[in-house]
């Protein structure tokens, strides 16, 4: 059964910021809890962020899951696959409710919900169902001659109790995809969804409660105070999706329990359009990826590096692409059912402020720029002549604004990318293989796509994750199973062990054996 925190309705009214949101709110600082040797928490301390009743409920569910996690170590592939099939079936059952919830939360179209939320979640689930039996099998590792006769293996065991803090921008997929991986690996899960999308969080809670008991999967709704309290518990693993600023706090709070973490963050992901690239294709791909979900995507192109000779043509192709996608005029755009809204007024003001700040510092609006605060609507916007000290070039935008930065030669573009933190994604538009190779070799990013954007997420055979400021760890497919598993080294010694030849006393014979081993067998 999913567990509903009392703070949910309060947080929704106050519109406070969760640690899973992309805005730069932080978790409150609270004291550390002690815990006994068997992992059970002492109940003498209540975090300052929640009331004693809520904290007691968190402890109760956590203790149930702690016990259940030990039992799940013995779960078979057949048992885990049965749970994954239940997840798949309940998603189909709730599909229309998921669509309605996302429409209410930020006017997301049914088609976009299917493409970006339901389809990839079903894909992840089916992939795990197909391959889990193989993933769970021990892997034979090579054994050196110095351990002749021994057998070496890698066993995948569940991490145990897992906390998943999911964001608001893709509130269904980014909650369920990690849950699928965690269940496939044999863990228990407490999910803390974002309060910014209350309708989707409610549907997710009801859906999970239908197929899991609370000792295996539970949901606590609420704002950042709930997240703060949950991170006081000694989970075996925390999986967080959200901003880099809050990711640092999650990592710091996890450290007191030496809890391992997966951080799926973001940053400023560049798109590079090289000389000779197909500008029509580039414009359509970049703008589709940028304006998908109204730009509220962690891997959306954050800014565009384009050769100075191609700027005018790219602007022309961009206008054509936006007209094709959403309509030729602002009135048509605003009325389009296929263009999402900014999630709330706070984020609307932040994103809209980027446009005003950029223009005040000399930027030119090449496309869009209009907005409607009553609907949290911002037009797809293309900027040129952008100052490097404008906020749109300092912060992760997380909205439908694309600044264009012209460059004279490719090395200049590469140096610009390397002057910033390592991004979550990098997009290259080029025909020349030497240019593609040069950009890939001279830069670093969580992932990269050539002649398209975002679509690497759709391949469950590729790991998805960041590097340094854009994240730690990766998931999707087999990589998700491994992320929620501990790789346990197991060595099975032979009855007659060569190691015994090196036991003390260290006679001349033993020393000769060691010397021979060092020279010839290492």
């Amino acid at each position: 059964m999913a567990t509903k925190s009392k703070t949910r309705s309060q947080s929704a009214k106050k519109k406070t910021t969760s640690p899973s949101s992309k805005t730069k709110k932080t978790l409150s600082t609270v004291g550390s809890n002690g815990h006994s040797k068997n992992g059970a928490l002492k109940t003498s301390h209540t975090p300052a962020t929640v009331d004693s009743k809520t904290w007691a409920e968190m402890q109760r569910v956590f203790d149930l899951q702690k016990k259940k996690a030990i039992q799940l170590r013995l779960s078979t592939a057949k048992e885990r696959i049965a749970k994954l099939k239940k997840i798949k079936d309940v998603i189909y059952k709730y599909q229309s409710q998921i669509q309605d919830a996302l429409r209410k939360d930020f006017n997301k179209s049914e088609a976009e919900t299917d493409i970006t939320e339901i389809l990839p979640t079903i894909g992840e689930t089916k992939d795990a169902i197909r391959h889990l039996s193989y993933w769970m099998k021990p892997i034979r590792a090579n054994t050196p001659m110095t351990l002749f006769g021994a057998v070496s293996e890698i066993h995948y065991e569940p991490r145990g109790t897992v906390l998943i803090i999911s964001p608001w921008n893709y509130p269904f997929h980014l909650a369920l995809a990690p849950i699928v991986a965690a269940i496939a690996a044999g863990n228990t899960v407490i999910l803390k969804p974002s309060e910014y999308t209350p309708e989707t969080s409610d549907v997710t809670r009801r859906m999970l409660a239908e197929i899991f008991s609370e000792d295996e999967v539970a949901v606590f709704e609420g704002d950042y105070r709930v997240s703060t309290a949950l991170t006081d518990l000694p989970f075996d693993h925390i999986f967080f999706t959200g901003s880099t600023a809050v990711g640092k706090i999650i990592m710091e709070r996890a450290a007191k329990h030496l809890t391992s973490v997966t951080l799926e963050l973001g940053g400023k992901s560049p798109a590079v359009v090289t000389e000779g690239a197909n500008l029509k294709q580039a414009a359509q791909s970049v703008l589709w990826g940028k304006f998908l979900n109204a730009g509220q995507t962690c891997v959306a192109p954050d800014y565009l590096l384009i050769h100075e000779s191609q700027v005018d043509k790219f602007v022309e192709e961009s206008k054509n692409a936006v007209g094709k996608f959403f309509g030729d005029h602002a009135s048509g755009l605003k009325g389009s059912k296929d263009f999402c809204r900014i999630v709330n007024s706070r984020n609307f003001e932040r994103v809209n402020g980027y446009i005003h700040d950029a223009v005040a510092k000399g930027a030119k609006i090449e496309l869009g720029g209009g907005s409607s605060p009553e609907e949290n609507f911002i037009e797809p916007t293309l900027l040129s002549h952008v100052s490097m000290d404008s906020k749109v070039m300092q912060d992760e935008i997380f909205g439908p604004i694309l600044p264009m930065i012209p460059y004279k030669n490719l090395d200049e573009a590469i140096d610009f990318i390397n002057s910033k933190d390592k991004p979550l994604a990098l997009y290259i538009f080029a025909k020349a293989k030497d240019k593609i190779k040069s950009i890939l070799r001279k830069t670093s990013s969580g992932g990269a796509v050539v002649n398209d954007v975002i679509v690497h997420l759709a391949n469950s055979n590729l790991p998805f994750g960041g590097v340094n400021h854009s994240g730690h760890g990766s998931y999707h497919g087999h990589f998700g199973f491994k992320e929620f598993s501990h790789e346990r080294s197991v060595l099975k010694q032979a009855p007659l062990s060569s190691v015994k030849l090196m036991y003390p006393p260290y006679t001349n014979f033993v020393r000769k054996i060691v010397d021979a081993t060092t020279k010839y067998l290492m």
Side-chain angles (χ1 to χ4, degrees), residues 397-428:
I397 299 170
F398 229 64
I401 306 170
L402 183 66
M404 294 187 297
I405 311 299
Y407 65 86
K408 289 181 169 48
N409 58 72
L410 194 55
D411 284 338
E412 181 184 342
I414 291 170
D415 289 343
F416 187 87
I417 294 170
N418 288 333
S419 70
K420 299 183 176 296
D421 293 328
K422 295 175 182 177
L424 184 57
L426 169 66
Y427 304 116
I428 303 167

Side-chain angles (χ1 to χ4, degrees), residues 196-238:
Y196 274 14
T197 48
E199 297 293 335
T200 307
S201 295
D202 183 64
V203 170
T204 302
R205 176 185 58 80
R206 289 187 284 109
M207 188 184 80
L208 291 171
E210 190 170 308
I211 56 175
F212 289 106
S213 59
E214 65 181 0
D215 64 348
E216 190 163 1
V217 177
V219 176
F220 280 89
E221 297 179 85
D223 60 16
Y224 71 93
R225 292 167 290 191
V226 173
S227 300
T228 299
L230 286 170
T231 55
D232 246 2
L233 296 165
F235 285 93
D236 295 306
H237 190 74
I238 297 175

Side-chain angles (χ1 to χ4, degrees), residues 290-423:
K290 181 60 184 181
F291 301 141
L292 182 72
N293 208 41
Q296 299 165 115
T297 304
C298 60
V299 289
D302 195 86
Y303 62 93
L304 178 73
L305 291 165
I306 183 167
H307 192 269
E308 58 186 7
S309 66
Q310 298 173 304
V311 173
D312 292 341
K313 180 65 174 176
F314 186 86
V315 170
E316 180 185 339
E317 293 293 352
S318 295
K319 292 177 179 178
N320 293 336
V322 170
K324 180 179 179 181
F325 293 158
F326 307 114
D328 292 325
H329 305 288
S331 57
L333 245 171
K334 191 174 179 182
S336 173
K337 293 182 179 180
D338 297 324
F339 188 72
C340 194
R341 298 298 186 262
I342 303 301
V343 68
N344 55 30
S345 58
R346 184 190 186 104
N347 277 280
F348 169 84
E349 292 170 4
R350 176 185 60 81
V351 177
N352 202 39
Y354 288 152
I355 299 175
H356 296 306
D357 175 75
V359 171
K361 293 175 179 175
K364 178 183 177 182
I365 297 175
E366 300 285 359
L367 173 68
S371 63
S372 174
E374 296 80 13
E375 297 184 31
N376 292 329
F377 167 77
I378 296 177
E379 290 179 5
T381 300
L382 188 65
L383 300 175
S384 64
H385 305 286
V386 181
S387 171
M388 290 300 105
D389 65 351
S390 59
K391 292 179 181 178
V392 79
M393 289 308 300
Q394 301 299 318
D395 302 339
E396 181 181 5
I397 299 170
F398 229 64
I401 306 170
L402 183 66
M404 294 187 297
I405 311 299
Y407 65 86
K408 289 181 169 48
N409 58 72
L410 194 55
D411 284 338
E412 181 184 342
I414 291 170
D415 289 343
F416 187 87
I417 294 170
N418 288 333
S419 70
K420 299 183 176 296
D421 293 328
K422 295 175 182 177

Side-chain angles (χ1 to χ4, degrees), residues 68-195:
K68 184 69 172 182
I70 295 173
Q71 299 173 20
L72 290 176
R73 292 175 188 171
L74 302 177
S75 58
T76 64
K78 183 178 180 180
E79 291 169 337
R80 297 183 194 179
I81 288 170
K83 295 171 188 176
L84 295 173
K85 287 181 177 179
K86 286 182 179 180
I87 293 176
K88 173 176 64 71
D89 293 342
V90 81
I91 292 173
Y92 286 132
K93 177 181 177 180
Y94 277 77
Q95 183 169 0
S96 62
Q97 294 185 50
I98 297 165
Q99 292 168 340
D100 290 343
L102 282 156
R103 176 67 81 177
K104 291 175 182 176
D105 280 332
F106 50 119
N107 199 45
K108 197 165 187 173
S109 73
E110 287 76 9
E112 192 164 299
T113 292
D114 286 346
I115 293 169
T116 63
E117 303 270 7
I118 293 174
L119 187 151
T121 308
I122 291 292
E124 284 290 313
T125 309
K126 287 185 173 181
D127 184 68
I129 290 169
R130 282 193 298 267
H131 299 109
L132 185 58
S133 296
Y134 173 74
W135 294 346
M136 288 178 65
K137 291 180 179 178
I139 297 175
R140 182 70 69 90
N142 292 331
T143 303
M145 286 295 294
T146 51
L147 297 173
F148 180 78
V151 174
S152 303
E153 294 177 340
I154 301 170
H155 292 201
Y156 290 97
E157 62 181 28
R159 288 190 180 273
T161 54
V162 171
L163 171 63
I164 295 174
I165 303 175
S166 60
W168 53 260
N169 59 324
Y170 291 92
F172 183 76
H173 174 60
L174 294 181
L176 266 291
I179 288 177
V180 167
I183 295 300
N187 300 280
T188 65
V189 174
I190 287 180
L191 169 69
K192 173 17 188 108
S194 174
E195 79 279 9

